[in-house]
């Protein structure tokens, strides 16, 4: 099987991979055309690879499209599982809409940027000045209710059509965000099976095959805050199967049964 990766870090440990820098896509177009599967393309590459060259990609189109923009992600989640989405308003950035939000949303509430990850672009709004600063820097207004919680959330990692791992991210004392990249701790104990069932059902419904889902527990309910296509690996170091191994086995199961017995070594095209 011929594999091409556009992200060397994400595909370390996958055998037989040829790495091509995304910016060299057209320079190496023949190698790409001859590949069986293209791994971790950047978003701008997807239309050309999938619609132009008719190539199979991982993560798939659904994952890439939905994972690119938190606004579109939230709209889809509102459509298929509204009971697991915080109350959210997504509005054009106009003076009237800013005024309506300030009149109707109780403090504190959450405001988000459409594209960001690792806790960046997520703000706890506690007064009017903070919200107006957020509004000055964003074309769209994306605001959610603040959900009381016990200072942690659940990260559930889906690879292929299965859950690869799940762990709690415990926020630092006094911190609004729980991200490990922002100083949060990891806890692998008491992972609720019903939360895993919800995430897996959503991932399969949306055909999302590589994502880290963030789940908040509040007032006895599970809320999907968002999912990240390029999720961090900090909480996955003790898993029996590495992320790379899980990705490779999924690709084999989807594209080339039966499994090859002697994978070829990878190489890098500069």
């Amino acid at each position: 099987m011929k594999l091409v990766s556009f992200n060397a870090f994400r595909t370390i440990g996958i055998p037989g991979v040829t790495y091509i820098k995304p910016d060299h896509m057209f320079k190496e177009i023949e190698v790409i055309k001859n590949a069986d599967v293209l791994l971790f393309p950047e978003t701008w590459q997807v239309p050309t690879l999938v619609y132009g060259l008719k190539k199979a990609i991982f993560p798939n189109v659904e994952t890439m499209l939905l994972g690119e923009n938190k606004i579109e992600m939230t709209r889809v989640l509102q459509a298929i599982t509204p009971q697991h989405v915080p109350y959210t308003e997504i509005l054009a950035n106009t003076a009237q809409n800013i005024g309506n939000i300030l009149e109707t949303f109780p403090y504190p509430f959450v405001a988000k940027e459409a594209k960001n990850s690792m806790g960046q672009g997520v703000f706890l709004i506690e007064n009017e000045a903070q919200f107006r600063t957020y509004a000055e820097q964003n074309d769209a207004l994306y605001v959610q209710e603040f959900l009381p919680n016990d200072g942690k959330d659940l990260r559930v990692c889906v690879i292929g059509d299965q859950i690869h791992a799940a762990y709690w991210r415990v926020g630092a004392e006094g911190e609004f965000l729980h991200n490990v990249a922002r100083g949060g701790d990891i806890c692998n104990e008491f992972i609720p099976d019903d939360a895993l069932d919800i995430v897996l059902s959503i991932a399969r419904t949306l055909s999302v095959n590589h994502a880290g889902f963030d789940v908040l527990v509040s007032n006895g309910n599970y809320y999907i805050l968002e999912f990240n296509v390029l999720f961090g690996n900090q909480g996955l170091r003790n898993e029996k199967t590495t992320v790379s191994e899980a990705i490779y086995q999924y690709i084999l199961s989807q594209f080339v049964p039966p499994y090859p017995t002697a994978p070829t070594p990878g190489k890098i095209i500069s």
Side-chain angles (χ1 to χ4, degrees), residues 156-164 193-209 213 215 224:
V156 183
C157 300
V158 173
I159 297 177
D161 59 356
Q162 301 293 329
I163 290 174
H164 176 70
D193 288 337
D194 46 352
L196 303 185
D197 291 341
I198 291 168
V199 169
L200 190 57
S201 175
I202 291 171
R204 289 177 174 176
T205 298
L206 298 178
S207 298
V208 169
N209 66 359
F213 286 76
V215 185
I224 309 298

Side-chain angles (χ1 to χ4, degrees), residues 60-98:
N60 61 15
V61 174
E62 293 90 339
T63 304
M64 297 293 293
L65 178 62
L66 294 174
E68 179 189 16
N69 188 298
K70 292 180 183 178
I71 289 176
E72 302 309 325
M73 180 191 306
T74 300
R75 285 172 172 157
V76 170
L77 292 172
Q78 286 175 319
I80 68 168
T81 183
Q83 69 275 26
H84 296 299
V85 181
Y87 177 76
T88 306
E89 290 279 1
I90 300 170
L91 302 167
N93 189 339
T94 66
Q96 181 175 349
N97 287 335
I98 291 172

Side-chain angles (χ1 to χ4, degrees), residues 9-152:
F9 172 74
R10 293 277 166 182
T11 51
I12 292 174
I14 297 179
V17 174
T18 296
Y19 170 65
I20 296 175
K21 293 180 180 180
D23 290 347
H24 292 180
M25 179 174 69
F26 292 101
K27 177 182 176 182
E28 304 296 343
I29 198 71
E30 293 303 319
V31 177
I32 292 170
K33 287 179 178 179
N34 289 324
D36 296 304
V37 186
L38 308 174
L39 308 176
F40 293 99
E42 295 188 356
T43 305
W44 65 266
Q45 295 177 279
V46 171
T48 299
L49 299 177
V50 174
Y51 304 120
L53 302 182
K54 311 299 182 186
K55 304 302 295 184
I57 65 170
F58 180 90
N60 61 15
V61 174
E62 293 90 339
T63 304
M64 297 293 293
L65 178 62
L66 294 174
E68 179 189 16
N69 188 298
K70 292 180 183 178
I71 289 176
E72 302 309 325
M73 180 191 306
T74 300
R75 285 172 172 157
V76 170
L77 292 172
Q78 286 175 319
I80 68 168
T81 183
Q83 69 275 26
H84 296 299
V85 181
Y87 177 76
T88 306
E89 290 279 1
I90 300 170
L91 302 167
N93 189 339
T94 66
Q96 181 175 349
N97 287 335
I98 291 172
N100 289 341
I101 288 171
L102 290 171
E103 290 177 6
T104 58
F105 266 78
Y107 297 115
F109 61 87
V110 178
K112 296 182 179 181
E113 296 177 350
K115 298 181 180 182
N116 234 315
S117 62
M118 295 188 297
Q120 300 179 33
V122 180
F123 309 98
L124 184 66
I125 304 299
E126 297 177 297
N127 55 58
E128 179 177 344
Q130 290 176 344
F131 183 64
R132 290 195 179 277
T133 297
Y134 158 83
E136 289 173 358
Q137 300 171 353
N138 290 273
D139 295 330
L141 305 176
Y142 176 130
V143 296
Q144 287 183 330
E145 64 176 321
F146 172 78
L147 296 170
N149 61 85
D150 57 359
K152 63 183 180 183

